[in-house]
Amino acid sequence: MVLVAEDVHALDDVRRGLVVVHNGFAGECYLWSVGGRVPLWETQAMDRLRRRGLVRIARRRGAPASPVVLTDLGAAAA
């Protein structure tokens, strides 16, 4: 599986626990776990990684944000 540089960077950010998803009124958005919005290029990379099955959202009931985590396939690629 070939990953572009942005995907590799985003995968590493997920591995380090830096990215969460917030489900708000306007829909899902990626945020940094320490606060602030993830830039557009990394949002696009996250969407590609999710479609390829490398990352997933670990839903937490009642929590305002859920972490993005590696799948087994993503861990092998990281």
Side-chain angles (χ1 to χ4, degrees):
M1 174 179 308
V2 177
L3 299 173
V4 297
E6 290 86 4
D7 295 352
V8 172
H9 184 85
L11 198 61
D12 187 52
D13 285 346
V14 170
R15 182 187 59 76
R16 296 182 321 165
L18 299 178
V19 183
V20 298
V21 169
H22 183 269
N23 249 345
F25 178 72
E28 278 185 358
C29 69
Y30 295 101
L31 301 172
W32 296 117
S33 58
V34 293
R37 290 185 76 106
V38 170
L40 180 59
W41 68 265
E42 187 144 357
T43 294
Q44 293 167 339
M46 288 293 165
D47 289 340
R48 286 191 300 272
L49 295 173
R50 284 176 68 187
R51 282 192 305 270
R52 295 172 92 174
L54 298 172
V55 300
R56 68 176 181 81
I57 299 169
R59 299 280 180 202
R60 290 187 178 163
R61 292 182 81 157
S66 298
V68 179
V69 297
L70 296 175
T71 63
D72 290 341
L73 186 59

